[in-house]
Every structure is written in C-alpha cells, then in structure tokens.
Amino acid sequence: MQPLPENLQENYDRFIIESLEQGCIWALKDKDDNWAMVESSLNSDIGVIPFWSNQDLASQLCCDQWAVYEPVAIAMEEFLDDWLIGMHKDVLRVGINWSVDLDGQEIEPLDILEEFESELE
C-alpha cells in the first residue's frame, strides 16, 4: 500500500480519483452503527466525519481507541446524493484521507460534491 502524500492537494486529488475509480468511499462504523466522528480542529462546535479513498487507508485507524470501528464502503451515488447533502444540512465537515494521527483536510461537503460532479462531467 502506498503511503499518503504529504502534500494536501495531492492527497485531496488522490481521494477524488481513487474514490471514483473504485465507485465507493470508505468510512468507519462501530457495532452499534455509529459512524466515527471527531470535532473539527477549526471549530469545536463542528463535527468531522473522516472518509478514505480505499479500505487499506481506513483500516490503519482501527486500533487503540478506534479499535471499535471497522471500515465500511459507501457507494459513490449514495455518498454524493445523500451523505454530502445531509452533512451540509447537519453542519458537518468531510475529513479527507486522514493519517493515523488524524491529520488532514476538513472540507465543506458541498465543496467536495462540486469537485466530484466536475470530475464526472
């Protein structure tokens, strides 16, 4: 497995391209059907749900306090049509291919939706 690029733009581009190639996004879910979420590093009143472009990247975080989670695939259509719109309404942000240290970009859901839509055209 390739490590994540250190450049945030390269990591963002990888997220878009790999997700579209695979037709899904990966998130972490526990046995009680709760999705992994953390507070934003930019504003503690806003939650961030991290997503990954492949299962291996998501799996790396399933240890220590995150051992209760496992990677779950979300179909691209569901992610674009339901998740991103819902997250925008709920004032949540999207974490992009975060590292095991939870480092990475936090994006407004409609911004990433626009990016995916322009790639699909």
Side-chain angles (χ1 to χ4, degrees), residues 82-96:
D82 300 332
W83 277 81
L84 293 176
I85 302 299
M87 288 178 68
H88 173 72
K89 289 178 183 172
D90 293 340
V91 191
L92 297 171
R93 295 179 67 84
V94 177
I96 304 291

Side-chain angles (χ1 to χ4, degrees), residues 40-113:
S40 170
S41 62
L42 308 172
N43 180 341
S44 61
D45 293 333
I46 296 176
V48 180
I49 300 177
F51 296 95
W52 292 269
S53 57
N54 68 57
Q55 184 177 7
D56 289 340
L57 293 175
S59 295
Q60 291 181 23
L61 276 85
C62 298
C63 59
D64 300 327
Q65 77 249 23
W66 288 60
V68 299
Y69 295 106
E70 64 181 54
V72 175
I74 300 167
M76 202 66 190
E77 185 176 341
E78 179 184 348
F79 183 69
L80 298 177
D81 295 344
D82 300 332
W83 277 81
L84 293 176
I85 302 299
M87 288 178 68
H88 173 72
K89 289 178 183 172
D90 293 340
V91 191
L92 297 171
R93 295 179 67 84
V94 177
I96 304 291
N97 274 352
W98 282 1
S99 71
V100 293
D101 299 322
L102 301 179
D103 289 333
Q105 288 177 285
E106 298 176 14
I107 308 288
E108 210 292 320
L110 295 185
D111 291 343
I112 199 151
L113 178 60

